Amino acid sequence: MNSDPISKLLALIFSPYSIFGIVIAVFILEKARHSRRLAWLLFGICCYATSLGKFQDEWITEPPPLVFPLQQLRDMGRPLTIVLLGLLIVLGMQTHNGWRRIIIPQPVYYLIAFQVAVFFKILVYGDVAFALLALITFGAIVLMFKLGPSRWLQDEYNFRLGVWSLAMTGVIFAIVCAYQGRFDMYAMTFVQGRFLGTTGSSQHAAALLAGTIPCFMFLIESHTKWDWIKAFWIAILLVVAYFLFLTASRTGAIMGISSILFFYRNRAGSLLRLGLFVGVLLGVIFWFISPDQITQSTPASNRFISGGNTREGAWAGMWEGFMSNPIFGSPLEGGRLVFGENSWLAAGDTTGLIGFIPIVMMGLGCLKMMFELHKLSNTKSIYFLHSSTVIAGLVGLLAGSFSEAILLGNLSFPVFSLLMYLSLGKYLLDLDRMQNHYLSWQKSQI
């Protein structure tokens, strides 16, 4: 994030699309005030917009263009995200308070503390404008969650819509990429044959795809009837799994697998049925397609079966940087912080203990919430799917954080999904406490 997004945002505001966009924004805001599903859909669209980006390095300064209108959408990805973020804040301001008063999960406060540490590190040693912009942006994200999604979570209907909104992010991503692939797949696989989608890297694509899997599992399992709705969610999940395979991201695979295992942690029978279903599906696929074509001819499969830790050198370098500068972290190289391939080591390396302690406390807070939700699912089986969705989502993000700095971003999908899963979990725990308090009050009246 630098001054370039600001210039792009101003260009978008004063472009010919501005008036048309303002009319649409006013129309959506008016409709979303009366339709909570539309409000949650707007949040899902914002989550997708956070993933938009271009792959660029010293050799590739401009990636292959996407088809219309995806190219234009990707070009204004960051300004569009800021506009959607603003719309959600305005919409949240028009939301009435419910029975929940403290709606920000405790781990979020530690994440805020980490961002403050980043702010002061850049403010003192780097680009002041970037530091202010980063802090304002993250503050706007937290404000949006406080006024909007977190406050909307007041009942079962909104919980399901919250899960649905994250799933819709995966649906939008899958449909958009399928549309692009229909015309030119190379534009999404030009970097070593690995799938990027409409994101800036295969790792970003994998984090988005894996991060939505628990939501698809909830929508599939909670829909008991076998009809076109359940078939739709299963079909989209298969598309998501296929694209995740094409990313050749072992981090994404670990995130997805760990999410599924923890989702079915107490239901071995359901996990077995899922394994049999996948096995039969693969058998049908291999009946028509030779397995050799998949296991030997694709960059994705070659990367999955290859051994070795490609991040060992980066991890050693970050650990050495942390040990050499344990208080304030390694000196800046440039005007901003660049996080490496591990959320925890990167926090220690770049910010020292002033940033490492808050991010560790945030992780411990996530583990505490997962443990409390696990106990809730054991005592109240009606909330098993609800708790499992949050647990699986947090497990996937925490598993991915050990090989990618996905927890240290700002305006990114992993951060949005982390805040959403924490908000969903906070609602479930608040609901359990309220029910227990009500039962205790009833007993005292007898």
Side-chain angles (χ1 to χ4, degrees):
M1 186 183 305
N2 48 34
S3 60
D4 188 54
I6 297 179
S7 63
K8 287 184 177 181
L9 178 60
L10 294 175
L12 177 62
I13 293 175
F14 294 104
S15 68
Y17 302 103
S18 179
I19 297 178
F20 180 67
I22 291 174
V23 173
I24 293 179
V26 172
F27 175 78
I28 291 177
L29 281 176
E30 181 61 27
K31 292 296 183 181
R33 287 178 57 192
H34 307 287
S35 173
R36 190 50 57 84
R37 182 175 291 272
L38 181 57
W40 280 109
L41 178 60
L42 185 63
F43 172 74
I45 294 173
C46 184
C47 287
Y48 168 71
T50 61
S51 71
L52 293 170
K54 289 184 176 181
F55 177 87
Q56 293 175 321
D57 59 16
E58 55 185 318
W59 297 285
I60 302 175
T61 57
E62 183 64 26
L66 303 176
V67 297
F68 177 85
L70 302 185
Q71 177 65 23
Q72 291 73 19
L73 187 67
R74 186 175 66 177
D75 285 340
M76 57 182 185
R78 187 53 57 91
L80 178 63
T81 306
I82 296 174
V83 170
L84 291 171
L85 184 62
L87 290 178
L88 287 168
I89 291 176
V90 173
L91 184 61
M93 290 178 178
Q94 301 173 3
T95 303
H96 298 293
N97 289 323
W99 60 271
R100 300 176 61 226
R101 297 305 179 187
I102 302 175
I103 56 179
I104 299 297
Q106 188 179 39
V108 175
Y109 292 108
Y110 294 119
L111 193 59
I112 294 173
F114 169 76
Q115 292 291 340
V116 171
V118 171
F119 166 73
F120 281 110
K121 179 67 178 286
I122 302 177
L123 184 67
V124 175
Y125 300 103
D127 186 345
V128 176
F130 173 77
L132 291 172
L133 186 59
L135 186 65
I136 291 172
T137 302
F138 190 78
I141 294 171
V142 175
L143 178 63
M144 181 270 289
F145 270 90
K146 178 179 172 58
L147 297 177
S150 292
R151 191 158 59 164
W152 295 341
L153 290 168
Q154 302 288 343
D155 49 35
E156 172 71 13
Y157 176 68
N158 278 283
F159 180 91
R160 290 179 176 273
L161 285 181
V163 176
W164 175 83
S165 67
L166 279 182
M168 287 304 297
T169 303
V171 171
I172 295 171
F173 184 81
I175 293 176
V176 164
C177 293
Y179 170 73
Q180 171 63 39
R182 170 64 180 80
F183 297 97
D184 182 16
M185 192 69 178
Y186 174 75
M188 299 187 296
T189 59
F190 65 93
V191 182
Q192 300 176 345
R194 300 177 63 183
F195 180 77
L196 310 176
T198 52
T199 70
S201 75
S202 58
Q203 298 295 351
H204 293 169
L208 186 150
L209 293 166
T212 58
I213 287 178
C215 299
F216 287 115
M217 302 306 300
F218 174 85
L219 294 172
I220 292 170
E221 291 292 341
S222 62
H223 198 82
T224 55
K225 294 192 303 182
W226 280 92
D227 53 17
W228 70 268
I229 297 177
K230 189 164 188 171
F232 170 78
W233 291 121
I234 292 175
I236 293 295
L237 178 59
L238 292 176
V239 174
V240 166
Y242 173 69
F243 283 145
L244 181 58
F245 171 76
L246 292 184
T247 63
S249 171
R250 287 177 286 189
T251 298
I254 292 173
M255 291 175 64
I257 293 173
S258 60
S259 294
I260 293 175
L261 291 177
F262 273 82
F263 189 94
Y264 292 111
R265 64 196 180 282
N266 287 348
R267 296 189 176 180
S270 299
L271 183 60
L272 179 60
R273 287 196 300 270
L274 177 64
L276 291 175
F277 173 76
V278 173
V280 171
L281 181 65
L282 291 176
V284 172
I285 293 175
F286 291 153
W287 182 271
F288 297 97
I289 302 175
S290 172
D292 293 339
Q293 290 183 289
I294 297 178
T295 59
Q296 296 182 8
S297 303
T298 63
S301 57
N302 291 337
R303 181 175 174 81
F304 280 129
I305 63 178
S306 63
N309 183 2
T310 58
R311 294 175 172 83
E312 186 175 358
W315 291 350
M318 286 187 287
W319 176 252
E320 182 179 353
F322 174 56
M323 296 304 295
S324 301
N325 304 274
I327 305 299
F328 299 107
S330 301
L332 282 180
E333 295 182 3
R336 63 170 70 184
L337 294 180
V338 179
F339 299 114
E341 297 173 321
N342 183 299
S343 296
W344 317 98
L345 290 177
D349 178 33
T350 55
T351 61
L353 290 175
I354 61 172
F356 181 73
I357 293 176
I359 204 68
V360 169
M361 294 300 295
M362 187 276 296
L364 293 176
C366 292
L367 293 176
K368 179 184 176 183
M369 177 178 285
M370 290 162 54
F371 180 72
E372 292 175 344
L373 289 173
H374 177 68
K375 290 198 301 182
L376 172 62
S377 67
N378 288 334
T379 56
K380 299 179 180 179
S381 59
I382 190 176
Y383 295 121
F384 177 82
L385 290 178
H386 304 65
S387 300
S388 296
T389 302
V390 178
I391 292 172
L394 293 177
V395 164
L397 290 169
L398 291 177
S401 69
F402 287 96
S403 52
E404 294 293 335
I406 58 177
L407 302 182
L408 309 184
N410 198 315
L411 208 59
S412 65
F413 175 78
V415 171
F416 271 59
S417 61
L418 173 65
L419 295 177
M420 190 66 240
Y421 282 123
L422 288 173
S423 297
L424 292 169
K426 180 72 163 57
Y427 162 74
L428 292 175
L429 296 176
D430 288 346
L431 179 63
D432 178 55
R433 280 190 286 269
M434 186 270 291
Q435 291 176 343
N436 292 337
H437 178 74
Y438 179 71
L439 291 175
S440 299
W441 178 81
Q442 276 190 326
K443 292 179 180 179
S444 65
Q445 300 300 311
I446 299 176

